[in-house]
Amino acid sequence: MSLQQAAQLLQQGQLQQAIVAYQRVLQTQPRSADAWYNLGYLLRRTGNASGALDAYAQALLCGATSPEQIHLNRAALYSDHLHQEAAALRELDLALRCRPDYAPALLNLGNLHEELGARDQAITAYCRLVALVDTDAATHALQLQATARLLHLEPPTHAEDVRLLTLGQAVSAPNQDPELVASLLHALAHAYDRLGLHARAFDAASAGNRHAHAQARRYDPLRTQQHFDHIAKVFAAAGDATTPLPQVAEHDTVSPIFICGMFRSGSTLIEQALSRHPCIAAGGELDALPRLVAQSLSPFPQAAHALPAQTLAQLATRYRQRVAAAVPEQARLRYITDKRPDNFQLIGLIKQLFPAARIVHTRRHPLDNGLSIFMQQLNPHGFGYAGRLENIGHFYAHYQRLMEHWLSLYPDSIHTFDYDAFVAAPEPTLRALLDFLQLPWEPDCLDFHLAGGAVRTASYWQVRRPLHADASGRWRHYAAQLSPLRAALAQAGMTLAD
């Protein structure tokens, strides 16, 4: 097996065959830095984070020509896959020692500091990136992204802020990458929103969504409706899960708490609050369950119909193994949170895998929820509905209908946590949730903004602040613009209380 043959397999997308090919190459060429690097890339692509780290380390030992890029890749593995932020910071530092002006490392360093709540360090990293001179087009694009983040970290006090002007000029420049333009427009939308310039904020978000969704497949309302209906049909009965939830014994293994609902409905906030309890660890937005479904239950939900007990047991074991790898168990833990909002589609499967599972359903006012989705840059390939208000309303209505189905099947297993109720009455709302989880009251949960660890969602700065009511009722500033959302919800029979 030659390097060229292995490279051809990689180019053809035959990942497993390419892995075997590079391993064979390395048996005869153990000092090939390129082979080690490509093996690391392939192992990363296939989810083998520890193997990828080892391969990248070997590439460095063999004198790879771009060590800063390898350290950047290792940082991403430590941060995104293994949740080892300190190791990720060390790798980014090594990348910048190799090349102090390495723009991708500076941007990633700023991002990681933001996730960790280290505002000043994030600002320093972004400013270093923005200050680079004589940059090429790729680096200039990263500088614009850093400027957008600085706009969020150090909000403007007036509409003539030079950063607003810089981003405004950038989005108007010809031949810009649509994804970059969408990102900058959403940054402008957030800045204008903070300035109280709501019409300009909405216009910027609308333009950002048009750019982001221009090349994506259009949202198909009928397909969404049929998919959700099919899920409800496959999981039409509760089966054994209708029995009362057992008391959790002290010696039981750590159990998952599934936090799900619409995106932007308060799931990060409640996970941070729960993570302050000594019996709970925050798992974050895990992909363990969706990955299992994609690998073993495709097409879903058809492939999940009438699964035998042995298959369910195997899937449950694989899920626990993935979660254990992502969140090492700690003493005194009873629960680990799995905060993946779109797992609301998988509640029937969850209850088959874990009949005693606790599920926290997050909810907020539909207009606030819809506005937050519209104003946030979301991947158009995963959130096809997010670019148009009427599509958000359609998706929300069918999400709500599916949740009503689950609640009818598993009323004792699902606790609806209302974001707006939490803002209005924090302690009683949180006490009710802890009672549902059969846990004692813990006042530290109210100080969720003091929780440590990284937050890898768009809410990472909101949850670093004490509880506030800024986002509850925010839709009123945009009441006129939200008429398509309200109309779509009304068409689905949803009556909204102001």
Side-chain angles (χ1 to χ4, degrees):
M1 180 65 67
S2 68
L3 266 174
Q4 184 178 5
Q5 290 172 313
Q8 286 177 344
L9 290 170
L10 172 57
Q11 292 171 356
Q12 293 167 1
Q14 300 182 48
L15 304 188
Q16 293 298 337
Q17 296 92 323
I19 288 173
V20 173
Y22 277 111
Q23 289 170 337
R24 289 177 178 171
V25 167
L26 287 164
Q27 290 175 357
T28 58
Q29 302 178 52
R31 298 291 300 171
S32 173
D34 287 346
W36 281 117
Y37 178 86
N38 287 333
L39 179 60
Y41 167 80
L42 286 162
L43 293 172
R44 179 184 177 187
R45 283 278 306 274
T46 53
N48 185 348
S50 59
L53 285 170
D54 291 341
Y56 282 139
Q58 289 296 323
L60 289 169
L61 290 173
C62 293
T65 55
S66 299
E68 69 278 5
Q69 184 175 350
I70 295 176
H71 286 300
L72 179 68
N73 292 345
R74 283 172 57 85
L77 286 163
Y78 277 123
S79 175
D80 299 342
H81 296 269
L82 300 176
H83 305 304
Q84 297 180 26
E85 287 76 24
L89 288 172
R90 287 195 297 271
E91 292 293 336
L92 290 172
D93 179 65
L94 289 169
L96 291 168
R97 289 186 186 185
C98 295
R99 186 176 158 190
D101 64 346
Y102 188 41
L106 288 170
L107 185 65
N108 277 264
L109 182 60
N111 291 342
L112 183 53
H113 278 311
E114 282 203 78
E115 292 174 359
L116 291 168
R119 178 179 177 275
D120 292 343
Q121 292 93 321
I123 290 172
T124 298
Y126 291 139
C127 286
R128 282 179 61 186
L129 174 51
V130 171
L132 297 179
V133 296
D134 299 327
T135 58
D136 58 17
T139 300
H140 181 62
L142 298 182
Q143 290 177 307
L144 289 171
Q145 293 180 48
T147 301
R149 294 312 307 158
L150 287 169
L151 201 61
H152 186 79
L153 291 168
E154 298 180 311
T157 57
H158 54 83
E160 286 71 40
D161 187 295
V162 66
R163 297 167 301 173
L164 292 173
L165 300 177
T166 297
L167 297 189
Q169 292 171 354
V171 300
S172 301
N175 303 319
Q176 286 277 32
D177 175 57
E179 186 176 346
L180 173 63
V181 172
S183 174
L184 301 183
L185 283 164
H186 278 286
L188 287 169
H190 283 283
Y192 289 136
D193 179 78
R194 287 190 174 194
L195 288 170
L197 302 173
H198 299 114
R200 292 174 71 173
F202 188 85
D203 289 345
S206 298
N209 285 325
R210 285 195 298 272
H211 278 84
H213 290 260
Q215 303 301 320
R217 186 172 66 179
R218 295 185 64 180
Y219 176 70
D220 187 340
L222 181 59
R223 183 177 181 180
T224 296
Q225 180 177 339
Q226 291 174 340
H227 179 62
F228 283 11
D229 287 348
H230 199 174
I231 292 173
K233 184 177 180 180
V234 169
F235 299 98
D240 294 337
T242 55
T243 57
L245 292 176
Q247 295 291 317
V248 180
E250 291 292 334
H251 61 273
D252 281 353
T253 58
V254 176
S255 299
I257 300 172
F258 295 94
I259 303 175
C260 56
M262 284 290 288
F263 279 88
R264 311 296 297 157
S265 64
S267 58
T268 302
L269 175 69
I270 189 52
E271 181 182 51
Q272 288 295 98
L274 289 175
S275 74
R276 296 278 290 166
H277 198 287
C279 296
I280 302 175
E285 208 158 280
L286 301 175
D287 70 346
L289 199 57
R291 186 182 287 264
L292 273 183
V293 170
Q295 291 176 343
S296 303
L297 297 175
S298 183
F300 185 85
Q302 298 93 310
H305 179 67
L307 292 173
Q310 183 178 4
T311 300
L312 291 172
Q314 292 171 347
L315 291 171
T317 298
R318 287 169 58 191
Y319 172 86
R320 289 189 182 278
Q321 289 171 343
R322 288 185 182 278
V323 172
V327 187
E329 295 183 8
Q330 303 173 35
R332 299 176 59 205
L333 281 185
R334 183 177 295 180
Y335 292 116
I336 290 176
T337 57
D338 181 339
K339 187 199 74 69
R340 175 84 184 205
D342 53 351
N343 277 348
F344 78 84
Q345 300 179 46
L346 305 178
I347 288 177
L349 176 64
I350 289 170
K351 292 299 293 178
Q352 288 189 355
L353 296 177
F354 307 106
R358 269 81 168 166
I359 297 163
V360 179
H361 165 225
T362 56
R363 180 182 65 191
R364 68 190 290 198
H365 193 291
L367 295 181
D368 273 332
N369 203 161
L371 174 65
S372 185
I373 290 170
F374 188 78
M375 297 286 283
Q376 188 68 44
Q377 185 184 12
L378 297 172
N379 185 340
H381 302 291
F383 299 87
Y385 62 88
R388 296 176 65 90
L389 289 170
E390 55 268 38
N391 292 339
I392 295 172
H394 179 272
F395 187 92
Y396 190 101
H398 287 279
Y399 134 79
Q400 180 67 24
R401 190 168 73 171
L402 184 58
M403 281 308 309
E404 290 170 357
H405 172 70
W406 299 136
L407 286 162
S408 72
L409 296 183
Y410 315 113
D412 297 325
S413 302
I414 303 173
H415 179 88
T416 296
F417 187 89
D418 190 284
Y419 172 85
D420 300 297
F422 183 51
V423 169
E427 184 171 328
T429 308
L430 197 51
R431 279 185 180 273
L433 175 57
L434 292 177
D435 287 345
F436 167 74
L437 297 173
Q438 300 176 2
L439 290 175
W441 170 245
E442 175 53 66
D444 283 353
C445 291
L446 292 172
D447 295 324
F448 57 84
H449 58 289
L450 301 178
V455 178
R456 294 181 178 82
T457 73
S459 303
Y460 45 64
W461 283 116
Q462 290 95 316
V463 300
R464 302 291 186 190
R465 299 169 56 192
L467 191 63
H468 57 89
D470 296 0
S472 187
R474 176 178 170 224
W475 68 267
R476 292 184 176 87
H477 297 301
Y478 299 89
Q481 293 95 331
L482 292 179
S483 56
L485 173 58
R486 186 185 282 273
L489 294 170
Q491 186 176 0
M494 293 186 63
T495 302
L496 301 181
D498 291 346

